[in-house]
Amino acid sequence: SGGYSLQNEVAAAASGSVLFNATPTQWLSVPNNTAFVQTGGFTIECWFRPTSTGTGYVWAMLQHNFLTCKWIGGQFQIDKSYVGNPTSYTPQNRTYAINNWYHIAMSSDGTNGALYINGVVEATFADAGGTVADGNPFYIGQYQGQGQPTPQGYISNFRVVKGTRVYSSAFTPPTSALTAISGTQLLLNTTNDANFLKDSSTNNFTVTNNGSVTSSSLTPFTS
């Protein structure tokens, strides 16, 4: 009855985060792939702990109509690549403090969707996102890999699910590391070791570290 059951989420053996502390010179990129098409159901989620109110993209793709998550002045916004805010976009315009962990989830059925912050609707939208036709990478912490702002802070447990609107109503954020549920296309559990950029999905994507992004022991699952 709406929402997503989190009972099957289990903790990874170890969990940490990725630290972005130099803007705009640090970001992660994943090769262009149909796994990131947004014209059908999809869910993108992660935890983000900002250390500055400065502008940056939590995720993005330089692709017409691609729905990105932008952090700007203490607010989370949906930004549509090449277009700006999507049509039928309804933001709440809440302001969030730095140095706190926030669970971010953008979840859509291909027509209607929402951006959730800590399980609460932050914005709704009523149009589909983009394809991957332009051939550009999927970015974490960047928009186009050419000097756009990087959000200063930590990102943990980044997951992309294709074909499913995982969250359709308010929910309690997961309390342990994300797992590869059905439809998972990318899963970075961001362990605090040499494998912190390993993709644990069946795609096993190569994640390119641009600008010496580092791992951290900070995790959203502990105080």
Side-chain angles (χ1 to χ4, degrees), residues 20-117:
F20 300 84
N21 61 4
T23 181
T25 59
Q26 292 184 322
W27 69 92
L28 306 177
S29 59
V30 182
N32 185 272
N33 193 281
T34 55
F36 305 114
V37 168
Q38 294 181 325
T39 52
F42 74 91
T43 299
I44 302 175
E45 64 183 306
C46 66
W47 279 264
F48 176 49
R49 187 179 191 269
T51 57
S52 166
T53 57
T55 299
Y57 288 86
V58 182
W59 70 76
M61 180 181 282
L62 189 62
Q63 164 64 49
H64 285 84
N65 299 323
F66 198 87
L67 297 169
T68 77
C69 179
K70 186 176 184 180
W71 167 255
I72 177 170
Q75 295 184 340
F76 292 99
Q77 297 180 1
I78 300 171
D79 186 73
K80 199 167 192 177
S81 185
Y82 285 111
V83 178
N85 289 338
T87 58
S88 303
Y89 169 67
T90 306
Q92 296 297 318
N93 295 318
R94 300 183 183 97
T95 300
Y96 296 87
I98 63 172
N99 298 318
N100 291 322
W101 281 107
Y102 300 105
H103 179 260
I104 306 170
M106 181 185 289
S107 206
S108 173
D109 59 12
T111 302
N112 296 293
L115 178 68
Y116 301 89
I117 306 300

